[in-house]
Amino acid sequence: NAGVTQTPKFQVLKTGQSMTLQCAQDMNHEYMSWYRQDPGMGLRLIHYSVGAGITDQGEVPNGYNVSRSTTEDFPLRLLSAAPSQTSVYFCASSLAGGTYEQYFGPGTRLTVT
Amino acid sequence: GESVGLHLPTLSVQEGDNSIINCAYSNSASDYFIWYKQESGKGPQFIIDIRSNMDKRQGQRVTVLLNKTVKHLSLQIAATQPGDSAVYFCAESNQGGKLIFGQGTELSVKP
């Protein structure tokens, strides 16, 4: 199993550009989530999904969209990038939400200039 | 609101000593707690978890203690090794499914 994979590893965007961060898992996990991590801080939940076709907002959802058309994939879309979205983004998955161990991907480092 | 925080942002220990990393949480409804280890440039890695119906759980060289009375969580690492150097996060969750992370503590192990 590859676990949780994320692409790209690094990305530089100009303010106003849009892009999609890809996340995939091959563990047949129902629960997937996106976090951002800013320097010296913990991870903050952006959006999560409890299964295909179901998504919900986390702590910091503004400026991001998600969809879950398959169990395996959970892309994160930045609609109009802003410098405040410069961060490291992590995708995670688990068997279910809440009380199950989450497996994290290697992260995408995004810089918005 | 909900919050999970750590008492110390950095911890430096000598190789072979025991390490204790502390965490405070404020949501008494949280019923599941996790410790993650994050090495530089990598995603968080699960270390150990504990449910609210327990007060202690042991793994290999690690022990998590939960004190619900004072809403306190700690991670003990026995015989700390250079490979344990990383940032450690506590996180809490409830049946709602959201995982809330604390700020993190950087553990530095001196040889």
Side-chain angles (χ1 to χ4, degrees), chain A residues 82-100:
Chain A
S84 61
Q85 293 179 305
T86 293
S87 190
V88 181
Y89 291 84
F90 290 100
C91 179
S93 74
S94 64
L95 279 172
T99 60
Y100 289 91

mmCIF file of all heavy atoms in Angstrom, chain A residues 82-100:
data_model
loop_
_atom_site.group_PDB
_atom_site.id
_atom_site.type_symbol
_atom_site.label_atom_id
_atom_site.label_comp_id
_atom_site.label_asym_id
_atom_site.label_seq_id
_atom_site.Cartn_x
_atom_site.Cartn_y
_atom_site.Cartn_z
ATOM 1 N N ALA A 82 -4.293 33.616 -1.951
ATOM 2 C CA ALA A 82 -3.889 34.818 -1.229
ATOM 3 C C ALA A 82 -2.630 34.503 -0.430
ATOM 4 O O ALA A 82 -2.406 33.344 -0.053
ATOM 5 C CB ALA A 82 -5.003 35.264 -0.287
ATOM 6 N N PRO A 83 -1.790 35.527 -0.164
ATOM 7 C CA PRO A 83 -0.559 35.282 0.615
ATOM 8 C C PRO A 83 -0.836 34.618 1.965
ATOM 9 O O PRO A 83 0.001 33.859 2.455
ATOM 10 C CB PRO A 83 0.025 36.682 0.780
ATOM 11 C CG PRO A 83 -0.437 37.411 -0.442
ATOM 12 C CD PRO A 83 -1.843 36.902 -0.695
ATOM 13 N N SER A 84 -2.007 34.856 2.547
ATOM 14 C CA SER A 84 -2.356 34.240 3.829
ATOM 15 C C SER A 84 -2.527 32.724 3.716
ATOM 16 O O SER A 84 -2.600 32.030 4.743
ATOM 17 C CB SER A 84 -3.638 34.860 4.382
ATOM 18 O OG SER A 84 -4.718 34.627 3.481
ATOM 19 N N GLN A 85 -2.607 32.210 2.507
ATOM 20 C CA GLN A 85 -2.732 30.774 2.303
ATOM 21 C C GLN A 85 -1.376 30.086 2.132
ATOM 22 O O GLN A 85 -1.317 28.872 1.915
ATOM 23 C CB GLN A 85 -3.637 30.483 1.105
ATOM 24 C CG GLN A 85 -5.084 30.896 1.352
ATOM 25 C CD GLN A 85 -5.986 30.643 0.173
ATOM 26 O OE1 GLN A 85 -5.722 31.116 -0.946
ATOM 27 N NE2 GLN A 85 -7.062 29.907 0.399
ATOM 28 N N THR A 86 -0.306 30.843 2.248
ATOM 29 C CA THR A 86 1.026 30.254 2.270
ATOM 30 C C THR A 86 1.124 29.373 3.504
ATOM 31 O O THR A 86 0.949 29.849 4.634
ATOM 32 C CB THR A 86 2.105 31.354 2.310
ATOM 33 O OG1 THR A 86 2.078 32.072 1.076
ATOM 34 C CG2 THR A 86 3.484 30.744 2.526
ATOM 35 N N SER A 87 1.394 28.090 3.295
ATOM 36 C CA SER A 87 1.360 27.146 4.398
ATOM 37 C C SER A 87 1.810 25.780 3.885
ATOM 38 O O SER A 87 2.096 25.598 2.704
ATOM 39 C CB SER A 87 -0.078 27.046 4.943
ATOM 40 O OG SER A 87 -0.117 26.311 6.154
ATOM 41 N N VAL A 88 1.880 24.832 4.804
ATOM 42 C CA VAL A 88 2.069 23.429 4.430
ATOM 43 C C VAL A 88 0.728 22.737 4.621
ATOM 44 O O VAL A 88 0.111 22.856 5.692
ATOM 45 C CB VAL A 88 3.156 22.752 5.269
ATOM 46 C CG1 VAL A 88 3.322 21.301 4.831
ATOM 47 C CG2 VAL A 88 4.481 23.509 5.133
ATOM 48 N N TYR A 89 0.298 22.021 3.606
ATOM 49 C CA TYR A 89 -1.009 21.381 3.626
ATOM 50 C C TYR A 89 -0.847 19.867 3.747
ATOM 51 O O TYR A 89 -0.081 19.249 3.005
ATOM 52 C CB TYR A 89 -1.789 21.727 2.348
ATOM 53 C CG TYR A 89 -2.189 23.176 2.301
ATOM 54 C CD1 TYR A 89 -1.306 24.150 1.840
ATOM 55 C CD2 TYR A 89 -3.440 23.578 2.757
ATOM 56 C CE1 TYR A 89 -1.659 25.487 1.825
ATOM 57 C CE2 TYR A 89 -3.809 24.911 2.742
ATOM 58 C CZ TYR A 89 -2.920 25.861 2.277
ATOM 59 O OH TYR A 89 -3.273 27.192 2.274
ATOM 60 N N PHE A 90 -1.574 19.306 4.701
ATOM 61 C CA PHE A 90 -1.535 17.865 4.922
ATOM 62 C C PHE A 90 -2.916 17.265 4.710
ATOM 63 O O PHE A 90 -3.919 17.808 5.189
ATOM 64 C CB PHE A 90 -1.065 17.535 6.338
ATOM 65 C CG PHE A 90 0.384 17.829 6.581
ATOM 66 C CD1 PHE A 90 0.776 18.978 7.243
ATOM 67 C CD2 PHE A 90 1.360 16.928 6.153
ATOM 68 C CE1 PHE A 90 2.109 19.253 7.467
ATOM 69 C CE2 PHE A 90 2.701 17.195 6.382
ATOM 70 C CZ PHE A 90 3.076 18.352 7.030
ATOM 71 N N CYS A 91 -2.921 16.144 4.033
ATOM 72 C CA CYS A 91 -4.127 15.348 3.877
ATOM 73 C C CYS A 91 -4.007 14.142 4.804
ATOM 74 O O CYS A 91 -2.901 13.637 5.034
ATOM 75 C CB CYS A 91 -4.246 14.894 2.422
ATOM 76 S SG CYS A 91 -5.668 13.862 2.065
ATOM 77 N N ALA A 92 -5.117 13.691 5.342
ATOM 78 C CA ALA A 92 -5.107 12.546 6.242
ATOM 79 C C ALA A 92 -6.314 11.675 5.979
ATOM 80 O O ALA A 92 -7.339 12.147 5.470
ATOM 81 C CB ALA A 92 -5.094 12.999 7.701
ATOM 82 N N SER A 93 -6.202 10.409 6.344
ATOM 83 C CA SER A 93 -7.348 9.510 6.215
ATOM 84 C C SER A 93 -7.396 8.564 7.402
ATOM 85 O O SER A 93 -6.383 8.318 8.062
ATOM 86 C CB SER A 93 -7.268 8.699 4.908
ATOM 87 O OG SER A 93 -6.283 7.679 4.992
ATOM 88 N N SER A 94 -8.583 8.060 7.677
ATOM 89 C CA SER A 94 -8.752 7.062 8.730
ATOM 90 C C SER A 94 -9.971 6.219 8.410
ATOM 91 O O SER A 94 -10.802 6.586 7.575
ATOM 92 C CB SER A 94 -8.888 7.713 10.108
ATOM 93 O OG SER A 94 -10.059 8.499 10.179
ATOM 94 N N LEU A 95 -10.092 5.095 9.122
ATOM 95 C CA LEU A 95 -11.230 4.206 8.903
ATOM 96 C C LEU A 95 -12.541 4.956 9.090
ATOM 97 O O LEU A 95 -13.502 4.769 8.357
ATOM 98 C CB LEU A 95 -11.168 3.023 9.861
ATOM 99 C CG LEU A 95 -10.244 1.877 9.457
ATOM 100 C CD1 LEU A 95 -10.132 0.880 10.593
ATOM 101 C CD2 LEU A 95 -10.756 1.201 8.195
ATOM 102 N N ALA A 96 -12.580 5.778 10.135
ATOM 103 C CA ALA A 96 -13.749 6.610 10.406
ATOM 104 C C ALA A 96 -13.258 7.842 11.134
ATOM 105 O O ALA A 96 -12.102 7.934 11.509
ATOM 106 C CB ALA A 96 -14.780 5.849 11.247
ATOM 107 N N GLY A 97 -14.095 8.810 11.316
ATOM 108 C CA GLY A 97 -13.679 10.027 11.994
ATOM 109 C C GLY A 97 -13.648 9.862 13.485
ATOM 110 O O GLY A 97 -14.111 8.877 14.031
ATOM 111 N N GLY A 98 -13.037 10.825 14.143
ATOM 112 C CA GLY A 98 -13.139 10.914 15.590
ATOM 113 C C GLY A 98 -12.197 10.006 16.334
ATOM 114 O O GLY A 98 -11.172 10.422 16.823
ATOM 115 N N THR A 99 -12.506 8.753 16.455
ATOM 116 C CA THR A 99 -11.761 7.914 17.376
ATOM 117 C C THR A 99 -10.913 6.865 16.684
ATOM 118 O O THR A 99 -10.650 5.826 17.242
ATOM 119 C CB THR A 99 -12.719 7.242 18.362
ATOM 120 O OG1 THR A 99 -13.643 6.445 17.619
ATOM 121 C CG2 THR A 99 -13.469 8.260 19.176
ATOM 122 N N TYR A 100 -10.492 7.148 15.510
ATOM 123 C CA TYR A 100 -9.611 6.232 14.798
ATOM 124 C C TYR A 100 -8.335 6.953 14.400
ATOM 125 O O TYR A 100 -8.344 8.132 14.074
ATOM 126 C CB TYR A 100 -10.280 5.652 13.559
ATOM 127 C CG TYR A 100 -11.362 4.661 13.873
ATOM 128 C CD1 TYR A 100 -12.682 5.074 14.015
ATOM 129 C CD2 TYR A 100 -11.080 3.321 14.034
ATOM 130 C CE1 TYR A 100 -13.683 4.176 14.320
ATOM 131 C CE2 TYR A 100 -12.069 2.405 14.329
ATOM 132 C CZ TYR A 100 -13.364 2.841 14.467
ATOM 133 O OH TYR A 100 -14.362 1.958 14.769
#
